[in-house]
Amino acid sequence: MYVAARADYALRAMLAVAATGPRSAGGGELVKAASLAEGQGIPLSFLQGILLDLRRAGLLHSHRGTEGGYALTRPPDEISVGDVLRAVGGAITSVRGVPADRAGYHGVATGLRDVWLAVDGAIALVVDRTTLADLLSDRATAP
């Protein structure tokens, strides 16, 4: 599995937001994008696009203004690594840029589709079972 910088940055940003502590519906203190970028070593312009994707996916909400920032929409134990990966990258496993379930083969290579689907399922099992709370408490799920 190839983990793109975008996916790595998204997870790091979500963990930083989750680590701010409890708040009404799941988010902690509001965290500013600039603070996330600096704290995680992520280029701010790149991070802003990632935060937009996470907001559109319903994982973050944002508040405008000088006191604004980002917070989780749900508690960290209800947001999986898979949720974050899909929000910023689409399919967990792709073959030549196409989701594994849409990869098509002919002749002797027909069985490859089943291999890619099995790989996708194995990866999904781990990333969907591992939550932000698990990572923050150092209880990440092992295979």
Side-chain angles (χ1 to χ4, degrees):
M1 173 179 172
Y2 171 76
V3 179
R6 183 174 188 79
D8 182 58
Y9 290 165
L11 283 163
R12 289 166 44 194
M14 289 291 286
L15 286 166
V17 172
T20 62
R23 202 183 144 150
S24 60
E29 297 296 318
L30 293 176
V31 181
K32 296 188 180 308
S35 174
L36 285 172
E38 183 179 331
Q40 292 299 313
I42 303 169
L44 180 58
S45 59
F46 194 44
L47 179 61
Q48 288 172 328
I50 292 168
L51 294 172
L52 180 61
D53 285 346
L54 293 168
R55 190 175 58 79
R56 285 180 178 156
L59 299 176
L60 287 178
H61 61 235
S62 62
H63 298 278
R64 294 182 178 257
T66 57
E67 299 300 316
Y70 292 88
L72 300 180
T73 58
R74 302 187 311 253
D77 63 346
E78 294 179 14
I79 299 174
S80 73
V81 170
D83 293 333
V84 177
L85 294 176
R86 288 180 188 94
V88 298
I92 296 291
T93 306
S94 64
V95 180
R96 299 178 320 275
V98 174
D101 64 343
R102 293 193 348 219
Y105 294 95
H106 311 297
V108 296
T110 302
L112 281 175
R113 183 174 188 274
D114 293 335
V115 171
W116 302 142
L117 289 174
V119 168
D120 184 63
I123 292 170
L125 182 66
V126 174
V127 299
D128 289 339
R129 193 170 53 184
T130 306
T131 67
L132 297 180
D134 292 333
L135 294 172
L136 289 173
S137 69
D138 205 24
R139 295 184 318 228
T141 307

